[in-house]
Amino acid sequence: VAGPRDRAQVGEWDCSFPRDAAELEPSGNGQSAASLLAEFFSYFGTLDLGGLLLSPLEGRALPRPPPGTPGGLRPGPLTLQDPFELSHNVAANVTPRTVSRFVRCCRDAARLCRGPEFLQKSRRGRPWGVMRLLQPGPAGNCGNSEGKFLIPVPLRPPGGCGGVPQREVCAAVGFVLREVLGCGCEPEGARGACGGPETPGEAAPGAQRHLEGGTGDSRGEFGD
């Protein structure tokens, strides 16, 4: 579809594309933006990313070529073909753990898109619509931690806390983890409730805190 002025050849690759959107055929899709967004998350939440090649050039997922195919790209946990340099996997450095998190986030987002809080404005002033998708997970969620990514943080410094009461140190650390990093945070062994016997945001002396990555953006996400 690209005209003569838009022709571009880079090495052996044809990198031509029309710069004027009016030259493209208009889409006959009449779905709303909200419906398309919900189906985007549903699609990628159920896709077998480990066995497919995602091709923006073709606009669809293709069977992954076997390793060692001449001129083929290097497959990985996520194989996303460069739309111009077809032998390049632009997601070659993505780890299996990141792919698993991406799929899980897509499933969570698809579920939120089907809920009333996505299409209807909240009467209580809560986030709704697309903003609802950008919220991190509930910071104070004390549900079953099985299967979640937990990091124990011992708050028992051998030499004390530099003269600062340990309760204040716990409260300060809890504030940073919850409010700044968007992590879930709970004391270990504190009678099964967030904050335990103390007020919310504080921990009993000698308690440990666990970090749980949120489900919204990258806040609370820790690498290896």
Side-chain angles (χ1 to χ4, degrees):
V1 187
R5 293 182 302 172
D6 296 327
R7 285 286 167 196
Q9 189 82 13
V10 180
E12 58 180 308
W13 305 108
D14 182 3
C15 298
S16 307
F17 68 95
R19 300 175 187 274
D20 184 3
E23 297 179 13
L24 299 175
E25 256 187 73
S27 172
N29 194 319
Q31 291 178 275
S32 67
S35 176
L36 291 172
L37 183 64
E39 289 193 23
F40 171 88
F41 291 128
S42 295
Y43 178 76
F44 282 102
T46 57
L47 210 58
D48 176 21
L49 294 175
L52 295 171
L53 180 151
L54 304 181
S55 173
L57 179 66
E58 297 285 341
R60 58 196 176 102
L62 304 172
R64 181 183 294 187
T69 302
L73 41 72
R74 179 164 63 94
L78 178 63
T79 306
L80 177 60
Q81 188 181 45
D82 188 307
F84 298 118
E85 188 181 346
L86 303 181
S87 62
H88 179 212
N89 177 14
V90 300
N93 62 335
V94 175
T95 64
R97 181 173 165 184
T98 302
V99 174
S100 175
R101 177 175 169 80
F102 169 72
V103 172
R104 188 170 66 250
C105 286
C106 282
R107 291 172 181 169
D108 291 343
R111 187 177 64 253
L112 287 173
C113 286
R114 291 191 294 265
E117 65 271 20
F118 182 71
L119 296 176
Q120 298 175 7
K121 185 175 181 179
S122 171
R123 297 178 180 177
R124 301 180 182 178
R126 295 175 180 172
W128 69 288
V130 175
M131 290 303 298
R132 181 71 180 87
L133 299 176
L134 303 179
Q135 298 298 307
N141 183 12
C142 281
N144 183 11
S145 61
E146 184 178 353
K148 295 180 180 177
F149 178 48
L150 302 175
I151 301 179
V153 181
L155 295 180
R156 293 189 291 266
C161 299
V164 180
Q166 187 171 14
R167 182 166 299 170
E168 294 185 16
V169 174
C170 289
V173 171
F175 174 83
V176 171
L177 293 175
R178 294 177 191 274
E179 304 299 328
V180 179
L181 299 178
C183 298
C185 183
E186 64 183 58
E188 184 177 61
R191 299 197 300 199
C194 283
E198 314 298 330
T199 57
E202 294 184 348
Q208 288 187 345
R209 291 187 178 272
H210 296 265
L211 312 186
E212 177 192 334
T215 57
D217 48 23
S218 59
R219 296 189 303 167
E221 183 68 29
F222 292 82
D224 296 334

